[in-house]
Amino acid sequence: MIGTRLDDVDAPRLIRGAYGWWFIGNQTWTLLRPECVGPDGTVDGDAVGFLRRVGAFRPRTPTSFSLTVLTTTTCNLGCGYCFQNTGLDETGGARPPRIGRAWLDDDVIDRVIAFTRDRMRRCEMDRLFLLLFGGEPLLNPRGCLNLLDRARTIGLDRCAMTTNGVLLTPRLARELYAAGLHGAQVTFDGSRADHDRIRVKRSGAPTFDTILRNVARAIEVTGLNWNLRVNVSHHNVDRIGDLVGELAADLIPDRCTVTFAWVGDAGFGYRNTMRHLDEVSDAFVSWSIAALEAGFRMARPGMRTTCQICSVPGGRYGAVVNADGKLFSCWQSAGKPGFEVGDVDEGYLDVAGVPERWVTCGYEYEQPDRARFDSFQDRVDGRLLDYLHTTGRL
């Protein structure tokens, strides 16, 4: 990473590649010749001038208000690493205790809309990005649909949903798409064999085929775009390579983006013991290339960024609202007792009085591992950019 900051949140990255240095800026991937970068990572003046002319240093100021709403805090799955768990299942099963139950109803929706309208007016924004979150948001489909309907009255521009996909029927997919949902993220915990040991219903039943079938049917009947997040840990790293073929067999690849993600040590009693070794980064690159060759989309490496909502204390550019109307700084703390930072009726508390409640996302890793993870990510992204460059896909 070089020292130039675009603003208080975002910073460009400089990564050594096979053919020079990759400068990753504001929607910019520029291959600089080796002589353009000094031994200390300083980019020479001519290169900086070029990067400014192409917009690599354009400030990434928000263009829409970002609102995350939990439609419910309950979930139909029992994933052991979930950050919303409050303990382990003492029986050894798939029913870990969770954060307190809350349910989004029409009264809370009206209050959320009033709060959001006011916050958008204050920051002089007329466009809204909405994320439907949970728990599992589709346990409350009426809440999702009614919130979408009301959000259109205050400038809904785009809406996404994070769902496990188990409850997504073709009919519900059509209703959500018609109401304004643009895309959804579902998670696979590795290949079918590993996923069905890790991502299970609270009864312990497997979910891989159900999720895959539901996404395939939703693709057929809607224009929704999909992000397929693949969680990687020591539990499944050995067989992740099998997953791309399993997904490609049933899905339309060019409607889906695949994201391979290191599972952070976020869950209660969970620790990912996978290490930042060269062979692991090599595996991430090989999986990404396999996904691209199968026709899936792949997000291009980006700048170092933090969340639009939690990076500015006080929620200037966004908010996270629990299903009961309480405000939290981040989706990682939502619903957790003692982390409330206000409510939609009274607004935010004075952050200076409750600084310990203002949790920020962006890193799910313990502090000592951050530098090692950044180095790991740079290695993966540099090799992926080399591949995209040599194949003409960048």
Side-chain angles (χ1 to χ4, degrees), residues 81-99:
Y81 58 78
C82 181
F83 58 88
Q84 292 180 340
N85 293 344
T86 59
L88 302 175
D89 185 337
E90 295 181 356
T91 69
R95 301 184 66 85
R98 291 178 48 81
I99 57 176

Side-chain angles (χ1 to χ4, degrees), residues 300 384-394:
R300 302 302 189 251
L384 181 58
L385 286 169
D386 287 340
Y387 170 79
L388 294 171
H389 173 67
T390 55
T391 57
R393 302 186 189 203
L394 189 61

Side-chain angles (χ1 to χ4, degrees), residues 310-325:
C310 64
S311 61
V312 181
R316 180 178 179 185
Y317 299 120
V320 174
V321 186
N322 194 24
D324 57 5

Side-chain angles (χ1 to χ4, degrees), residues 7-28:
D7 53 34
D8 290 338
V9 177
D10 301 320
R13 297 164 65 195
L14 192 64
I15 301 175
R16 183 79 186 197
Y19 310 101
W21 291 87
W22 286 104
F23 180 93
I24 306 175
N26 177 33
Q27 296 297 308
T28 306

Side-chain angles (χ1 to χ4, degrees), residues 350-359:
D350 181 3
V351 177
V354 287
E356 72 284 353
R357 298 187 186 186
W358 199 267
V359 175

